Amino acid sequence: RGLSKLPMKVLVTGGTGLVGSHVCRQLMAGGHDVRLLVRSADKARKLYCESVGSEPELVQGDITDIAAVKRAVEGCEALVHAAAGTPMQIESVAKLFEVNVGGVKNIVGAALEAGIERVVCLSSITAIFNKDGSKVTPDAPPNRSKMPYGQSKVEAELYLRKLQEEGAPIAILYPGGIIGPDDPGLSDSCKATKHRIENGFRIFGDGGMQYIDVRDLAVLICSLVEKGGSGRFLVPGVYSTWTEQADLLEAVSGCQLQRIQAKGWKLRLLGRLMDVARKFKHIDAPISAETMRYATLWPNIPNTVEFERRGLSLRDPKETFDDTLRWMVKAGHLDVSLCPKYK
């Protein structure tokens, strides 16, 4: 899993988020000069001083601010664009599109204009989602969505693919659920896991989900930065049914889950009702029409062969969830009484 020692100047967006922070730490460990475009320099300094003991170069600004973006790309040789908004983080549809579409156009456009020749963009399988897993391929056309998040990813996808067709050196990655320890903002997958342990685990039919360990995803991203490689890469991770995932959570942490049998259509309806309720008040729960659609209809999608080609592999989900839950307890996100194996 080691990185080469060829020093590069790499700009990372989303550097205080789950994927961006892991990519940043791995690049710094490999001897690279990393610059972050961050909204809060103080937050970034605190994060990296506590976790690494040193900090990357910081440019304060936002991907929706073109002036800040142009300052950030200056002098860089590679870009990792990992910043994005999700329905759980951004309740305004207009802001979601401003970040997920306008932000992509700003940062990638400025990078290419500045002559950056290695651009890695984190997209989402939601951009090409189909409940028929055989139709989810790197060449699958973007799948128009009625849901705001999915549609924002589709519009960004269309922009990036047009640039690829014109010969731009862009790699697009499509992850499934991303999870792992050392999650600065407690992202959606960790929030969902916390919710299931504290409030009950809904099991519906033979459905399931794929999760990729953020550390494995970061290794592939760093490899694309160092060794190059454009194209489109599916990285959904390891598939498990919801029953298998519940068994795994109990085995690694000692938690006792309340297992609630549920129907997929009922959960999708619940998600829509939650979206309506959010128009009137803040609701801190990982349930929305979009999250329930993917949770109840997700197929088993193969991972890119690029992992094997680059000598990489996906770790056992037992290690992923053990490390993640252990960290969540240590960081105070989960009460240790709920996960007795971590006492």
Side-chain angles (χ1 to χ4, degrees), residues 250-267:
E250 289 187 336
V252 298
S253 71
C255 67
Q256 293 295 313
L257 295 172
Q258 178 190 10
R259 303 192 186 206
I260 304 167
Q261 297 299 319
K263 299 290 187 181
W265 70 267
K266 289 185 177 180
L267 291 175

Side-chain angles (χ1 to χ4, degrees), residues 252-322:
V252 298
S253 71
C255 67
Q256 293 295 313
L257 295 172
Q258 178 190 10
R259 303 192 186 206
I260 304 167
Q261 297 299 319
K263 299 290 187 181
W265 70 267
K266 289 185 177 180
L267 291 175
R268 292 191 289 274
L269 175 59
L270 175 62
R272 290 197 291 271
L273 293 174
M274 293 287 277
D275 285 350
V276 172
R278 281 192 178 91
K279 294 180 180 179
F280 303 98
K281 65 177 181 178
H282 175 74
I283 300 176
D284 187 20
I287 299 172
S288 70
E290 286 196 286
T291 58
M292 290 301 98
R293 177 180 183 234
Y294 303 130
T296 58
L297 298 174
W298 194 278
N300 190 350
I301 303 166
N303 288 279
T304 179
V305 297
E306 203 66 20
F307 278 108
E308 293 181 7
R309 286 177 179 167
R310 293 172 183 258
L312 310 175
S313 61
L314 295 174
R315 69 191 71 205
D316 189 317
K318 183 176 181 180
E319 178 185 350
T320 295
F321 280 94
D322 186 20

Side-chain angles (χ1 to χ4, degrees), residues 102-169:
V104 169
K105 291 180 177 180
N106 283 346
I107 195 74
V108 175
L112 295 176
E113 185 179 331
I116 292 177
E117 296 184 352
R118 295 186 182 182
V119 177
V120 183
C121 291
L122 198 66
S123 182
S124 169
I125 284 179
T126 59
I128 52 175
F129 183 80
N130 194 304
K131 60 184 179 180
D132 181 349
S134 67
K135 295 181 179 179
V136 183
T137 70
D139 297 322
N143 191 357
R144 293 286 181 183
S145 173
K146 296 179 181 179
M147 310 290 185
Y149 174 73
Q151 190 54 36
S152 73
K153 301 304 282 189
V154 166
E155 291 194 21
E157 180 74 13
L158 291 170
Y159 169 75
L160 292 174
R161 288 194 180 194
K162 184 175 185 297
L163 291 176
Q164 284 184 327
E165 290 169 2
E166 295 169 353

